[in-house]
Amino acid sequence: MEMQKGKGGTAAGGGGKLLVSTLLDAKDELEERLERCVGIVTSLTNGLSEREANDALNAHICKGTPQHEEICLGLFTLVLTEPAQAQKCYRDLALVSRDGMNIVLNKINHILMEKYLKLQDTCRTQLVWLLRELVKSGVLGADGVCMTFMKQIAGGDVTAKNIWLAENVLEILTEQREWVLKSSLLIAMAVYTYLRLIVDHHGTSQLQALRQKEVDFCISLLRERFMDCFMIGRDLVRLLQNVARIPEFEQLWKDIIHNPQVLSTQFTGVLQLLQSRTSRKFLACRLTPDMETKLLFMTSRVRFGQQKRYQDWFQRQYLSTPDSQSLRCDLIRYICGVVHPSNEVLSSDILPRWAIIGWLLTTCTSNVAASNAKLALFYDWLFFNPEKDSIMNIEPAILVMHHSMKPHPAITATLLDFMCRIIPNFYPPLEAHVRQGVFNSLTHIVEKRVLAHLAPLFDNPKLDKELRAMLREKFPEFCSSPSPPIEVKVEEPVSMEMENHMSEKDDSCYDNAEAAFSDDEDDLNSKGKKREFRFHPIKETIVEEPVDITPFLDQLDESLKDKVLQLQKGSDTEAQCEVMQEIVDQVLEEDFDSEQLSVLASCLQELFKAHFRGEVLPEEITEESLEESVGKPLYLIFRNLCQMQEDNSGFSLLLDLLSELYQKQPKIGYHLLYYLKASKAAAGKMNLYESFAQATQLGDLHTCLMMDMKACQEDDVRLLCYLTPSIYTEFPDETLRSGELLNMIVAVIDSFQLQELVCHVMMGNLVMFRKDSVLNILIQSLDWETFEQYCTWQLFLAHSIPLETIIPILQHLKYKDHPEALSCLLLQLRREKPSEEMVKMVLSRPCHPDDQFTTSILRHWCIKHDDLLAEHIKSLLIKNNSLPRKRQSLRSSSSKLAQLTLEQILEHLDNLRLNLTNTKQNCRYRRAAPWELGCSGIDRERLSPLSLMAGRVPRPGAPAVWFLTPVSAGSSTVFSQTPILQALQHVQASCDEAHKMKFSDLFSLAEEYEDSSTKPPKSRRKATLSSPRSRKNAAQPANNEEESASSSASEEEDTKPKPTKRKRKGSSAVGSDSD
């Protein structure tokens, strides 16, 4: 099936060969880099035979790693953009690649996750072709790329491009079935994806044909590899329910219920599946990267009450068609199971999860979709086990009901009714289990203080009598009035105290009069104690239970099985370490069966669960405490890796073991980073992490690093700060361009940790910004929280990066939206000497009466650097005045960023003039210094007490003279600078009458300058006597003649540079009255 050309295709869209873009879009950095690589490959192979070309490419690759990457990326880009050469380029790529195609796999994942929507249609087709070739060649890591492709297949979307992608990926999986069966995770992910898509594919004959292929594919994998599909967990049952009417699945259901052993000897029945929690990776795989990004943005950046425009955009983009109704279930499952906000977010005013789910429920237009959405919301309730499941999975449902009671009582009523009716109707033979699961959920909710009491919700007068009666019948324990409050000690932390932040959120849209959150508070206040209102984080009770690894032990060989049992029985750390070393030694033996790595990893993950709880970093950091902290049995794998060479066969085996562990326990990633940083045995071995990242299913250093640092951020902020210097130092290409990583850090650090990081920067231990990427990161930070932005600017200012590097950010800053960046930039600019580029950017800001940024910094520069500022303003005035008016306005209107126009410069100068005028009005009188009595106003500013040496001393008995002096001395002289006056004169001569009228006060300064500079020398004395400056000093008749003579003499000296003047250095310097 060929993909149809759409609006985004090459024919209709603009841009390069790779990405679609418009005339207004800036050139994409990735596309530019790939084009450069293509140019290198073309220049090396142009006009050569195949053998000569291959030799030339290999010779270039031998020069080093960067050259290897250039050639690989160049050939990869040619495969995407030149279909006619694709086969030849892929063959060359396979021949020259020296890293098992890792560079290409990473770049494909990067494009799929971030650029797929912008790809030209030809490139999408070629990308699928390339996947097919990679799978045929059995390239290690192609399964990860295949899963990323499946993530791009959107649910609820039957457009031609989406159907084309679904069909082509399915063809690859069907054709390469033997390859698929080698990866358990790929099997489960493919079944989960296509089971979900079957629901959408109905109607036309083309969709029916695709649907049948999907049915056959899923049925075959479910029957042949059921235990691989079992890892999906309880959501597999939910998806199978949706397709139960299809004959093939109807037969499968009969086997699941009545004869489960047919599917697998390890499968005991549907209850076993329903009691298994679904992993986040499956819930996340049914949202495209773009959907996931938008949802995460709403749940981490958008403030409660300001979400409507974001929700409207999301609805228009993804939920506007009848087919898209089925997507709501995917979104709700993702929000409940994947989006688990940190305690900081929970206690802030960020849009809560229940509000988004409430919006999804209220906008649902199909009864079937509404029922499925409610089932998706309550699905984790039905078999909830407090010891295995998370409170965060069931919290949204109860909060939707609680907060909807006032504004949308119908929503609360329908959800409560659904909760009651699902118990007997979900699966009658398991009614008792479902009832227990719902009861466990409600009990856990009250224990964790998500809601203090359920009676106000279950027995609310707004609910109809029948529903209240049914609730009392089903849940009598929660419908009775709350018992008298018990005395609570203030010192004891409550497991989950959500009253404070919930009441804040309610204030914006709900009446909170009936919410029963204050019982404990009233009790404490009645005893005269002061209650502290603060958020207490969720603290799930950890119940240590015996570890059951029996299902895994049977799959191990006898010797390994015995060692794992010894490890389980080991009481102290030292004994466990000895046994762990024996296990590692056995893994490294030549005859070890690598297929047992996955089972071994499952055993180790279960045995060492305690390693991944609590804080990793010691409270007091010393060499001894660090060495003690890295002495855990599991860290022996890391130590053995550090002691081995990368070309050792055992090295890759240990990496495979870690990769299996990583799939089952993602925290292993940041534990490895900690070991490499803290252990003396790992000194200088941080590059091992890159090998580990490439060995994982992700196969990409950047993605792996970001995920591990995110996990570290959520678990241990101290450890995150401890690792930061090493991460930035060892992986500069992945970190210095990453605004995501910086945001992770500044989002959780406190002021003390910020100061530590600043010290690291200033001591040279840490570099967080680089000239070529700092501007983009600062622009990204404009959307962050206020404290996060201030932290970012503090860290930037600790670096010695010239301000000119980031001055273009001014064009992105709006005075209402970005006060943090503007204030930081203003304080930094005041320390700098103005360059022409700085002045240009400052003047490029739009004029607005409330935006004082430009006037503030210009006024400061007037005081400190008036001559330099005057030269730059003159240059910009003349340059902009020489541009044709029409061209100038067209350019400024079509550009994304503001362009500097002549009118802008004049407006800013006029604002500056008004500011200085207002400052002048705030003046004080002072007595004249003796050396000032013979000077005009201008001369007085130019001269100094050195004039006393020239004999300018007042006559005895002369009356005292007082001058009116501005408080800010020096600020009044900027518009007396010759360059500015000349430039204003130049502009005035060529501008139209409207501008002359608008800026008449500004141009009057130029007119005065013009008058004084165009009159003949002979009449200058008379002109001076009758000028406004002379009239100002008319109150001093005793000095009138001296002033006149002095003023004339100084003016003549300025306008007539004679050779003889150079000989009289003394007199010219002080303006002698000798003439």
Side-chain angles (χ1 to χ4, degrees), residues 463-475:
L463 303 176
D464 62 66
K465 291 182 180 178
E466 291 181 4
L467 178 56
R468 288 161 66 187
M470 182 162 56
L471 286 166
R472 279 194 293 270
E473 179 190 344
K474 300 281 185 186
F475 309 109

Side-chain angles (χ1 to χ4, degrees), residues 488-540:
V488 181
K489 296 180 182 178
V490 181
E491 306 90 72
E492 293 181 358
V494 185
S495 294
M496 184 177 182
E497 190 71 33
M498 301 188 71
E499 295 92 326
N500 196 22
H501 84 278
M502 282 303 167
S503 62
E504 288 172 2
K505 292 180 179 178
D506 288 346
D507 290 342
S508 58
C509 64
Y510 295 111
D511 178 12
N512 199 31
E514 294 187 13
F517 284 113
S518 304
D519 299 55
D520 294 338
E521 178 191 347
D522 293 341
D523 179 59
L524 291 170
N525 287 341
S526 67
K527 294 179 180 296
K529 297 181 182 178
K530 184 178 179 181
R531 182 180 175 84
E532 183 184 359
F533 284 91
R534 65 175 183 176
F535 176 78
H536 295 280
I538 299 170
K539 293 183 180 178
E540 296 191 46

Side-chain angles (χ1 to χ4, degrees), residues 166 617 678 714:
L617 196 65
E714 292 172 356

Side-chain angles (χ1 to χ4, degrees), residues 225-434:
R225 302 293 289 269
F226 187 81
M227 288 313 291
D228 288 330
C229 301
F230 183 89
M231 75 167 71
I232 295 172
R234 61 175 66 115
D235 274 81
L236 177 60
V237 176
R238 183 175 62 85
L239 295 181
L240 286 171
Q241 283 178 297
N242 293 336
V243 296
R245 298 294 179 90
I246 298 173
E248 292 89 340
F249 286 109
E250 193 172 358
Q251 185 58 47
L252 179 69
W253 264 113
K254 289 179 181 177
D255 290 338
I256 290 173
I257 293 171
H258 302 298
N259 196 7
Q261 297 291 311
V262 172
L263 299 171
S264 172
T265 54
Q266 300 175 41
F267 181 50
T268 59
V270 70
L271 178 61
Q272 181 188 4
L273 195 52
L274 286 166
Q275 289 176 335
S276 175
R277 179 178 169 183
T278 298
S279 169
R280 290 182 176 194
K281 56 178 169 275
F282 294 107
L283 300 177
C285 82
R286 290 317 318 127
L287 267 65
T288 65
D290 190 56
M291 291 181 198
E292 194 169 8
T293 302
K294 301 299 188 296
L295 266 185
L296 291 175
F297 177 81
M298 282 198 280
T299 55
S300 62
R301 293 282 176 268
V302 178
R303 287 186 170 83
F304 191 49
Q306 300 176 1
Q307 70 270 27
K308 187 176 187 308
R309 65 191 182 106
Y310 301 100
Q311 291 174 347
D312 290 346
W313 182 93
F314 196 93
Q315 176 123 7
R316 285 194 305 273
Q317 189 77 6
Y318 297 115
L319 298 171
S320 57
T321 64
D323 297 299
S324 64
Q325 294 293 326
S326 62
L327 180 61
R328 294 174 193 273
C329 297
D330 300 332
L331 296 172
I332 290 173
R333 291 299 295 144
Y334 178 83
I335 292 168
C336 291
V338 180
V339 182
H340 290 176
S342 64
N343 292 324
E344 289 79 9
V345 173
L346 284 174
S347 59
S348 70
D349 60 350
I350 296 298
L351 180 66
R353 297 186 298 163
W354 59 261
I356 300 178
I357 291 174
W359 160 66
L360 289 171
L361 291 173
T362 53
T363 55
C364 200
T365 57
S366 159
N367 290 333
V368 174
S371 297
N372 288 336
K374 285 182 274 189
L375 179 61
L377 179 60
F378 282 102
Y379 206 64
D380 287 312
W381 287 51
L382 307 183
F383 296 90
F384 183 79
N385 182 347
E387 296 176 0
K388 294 181 181 178
D389 294 307
S390 169
I391 181 71
M392 299 300 282
N393 289 24
I394 61 173
E395 179 224 49
I398 197 71
L399 291 181
V400 170
M401 293 188 284
H402 171 71
H403 291 287
S404 299
M405 182 62 82
K406 298 292 176 171
H408 304 289
I411 290 288
T412 303
T414 188
L415 290 176
L416 287 171
D417 181 73
F418 182 88
M419 184 179 72
C420 292
R421 295 182 189 278
I422 196 67
I423 294 174
N425 294 309
F426 178 72
Y427 182 46
L430 296 181
E431 180 181 351
H433 290 86
V434 177

Side-chain angles (χ1 to χ4, degrees), residues 428-446:
L430 296 181
E431 180 181 351
H433 290 86
V434 177
R435 184 186 303 279
Q436 186 61 45
V438 175
F439 180 83
N440 289 344
S441 301
L442 294 171
T443 304
H444 206 52
I445 283 165
V446 174

